[in-house]
Amino acid sequence: MSSPEGPRPGLLDQYSQGFMVSQVLFAACELGVFDVLAEAPGPGSDAVAARLGTSSRDEMLLDVCVSQALQMEVRGGKALYDNTELSSTYLVRSHPRSQHNMLLYLARTTYLCWAHLAQAVREGKNQYLTAFGVPSDQLFTAIYRSEGERLMFMRALQDVWSVQGRSVLSAFDLSPFPLICDLGGCSGALAKECVALYPGCRVTVFDIPAVVQTAKRHFLSPEEGRIGFQEGDFFEDPLPEADLYILARVLHDWTDEKCSQLLAKIHQACKPGGGALVIESLLDADGRGPLTTQLYSLNMLVQTEGKERTPAQYRALLAAAGFGDAQCRRTPAGTYGAILARK
Ligand code: SAM
Ligand code: ASE
């Protein structure tokens, strides 16, 4: 709608300076602002600076955080800072639902790829070569370009399942599937939620050797008795036997051709009555929303070979591989939805 004054220029500022808002959150996470406030709430900025070992000019950062994820009260003329419910749950490192590692990954890797969004759109490909000087003809060789990167990616990707794992895994009743294989299951974070939710099930996490080794060294705790790991390449090697194959945030990494290849392989490995469960951020039927998923799709452009898809697009890929009657369920509050198809 047009007004006599024209559109508000403030709105343009808000959009074009959005990256500053992200950077403030990233820096506060990196510095440990939220962790310091969780340990001893209510300090002044000088005390925060002393604890962090930062310059006393960090009042600027704290004050901007107040508009996003901190609260402040002035007592005796002095500003005292504290976490909000949002920051104490999702930004303090030690909280079980913390998203700290995802924010670090977004800051250190994703953000640098997004700096080349225009070039990514022009070329139609990810930006590892431009951003980090690493070739990406093998996608996960670029994503895992060092051991530190692999560990950071694995830590980052596990964060979301502590918040949304339960709801995506209960979108369908998975109790008819006692033996589950999580293909590209990474650190085993979703597998942990799965065995907690379904007391009768066992999960095999299938991933490339380096990831399985890192998962065993850094992520697996001894009480996870119903989770096993298997090393392999899901495009090349035989798949483990299972009643249900989970693909969480795997298909969005790949082109339609690679997705079809993988789904056909799963269909071959599947017993009659067995299933495939696709867990992804789902676009609306017309592809024009939700905005978060559209942005994730651009993220797939700058960081992978894939894109986010609509339920109909996943259904078509599943049908071409031989899976009929795919059912789609969105989760009420979450970013991720689930599609279950049977052989
Ligand atoms: N499913 C996990 C989740 O949702 O958090 C991880 C998703 S991550 C985007 C993709 C996973 O696929 C990574 O763990 C990666 O190592 C694994 N992967 C990629 N290529 C693979 C291959 N050829 N064979 C087996 N796993 C592969
Ligand atoms: C991938 C998932 C992610 C590959 C790269 C990624 C995520 C961030 N970078 O398969 C998690 C999803 N989040 C976003 C912003 O897309």
Side-chain angles (χ1 to χ4, degrees), residues 140 144 153 157 161 184-186 206-208 211 232-235 248-250 252-254:
F140 278 86
Y144 300 142
F153 183 80
L157 266 86
W161 301 130
C186 210
F206 185 91
D207 214 299
I208 59 175
V211 169
D233 179 329
F234 53 42
F235 290 120
R249 296 191 289 187
V250 167
H252 77 167
D253 290 336
W254 305 107

Side-chain angles (χ1 to χ4, degrees), residues 102 105-106 110 153 157 249 252-253 296 299-300 303-304 336:
M102 183 44 96
Y105 183 72
L106 292 174
T110 304
F153 183 80
L157 266 86
R249 296 191 289 187
H252 77 167
D253 290 336
Y296 282 11
N299 195 43
M300 292 305 107
Q303 283 209 267
T304 72
Y336 294 98

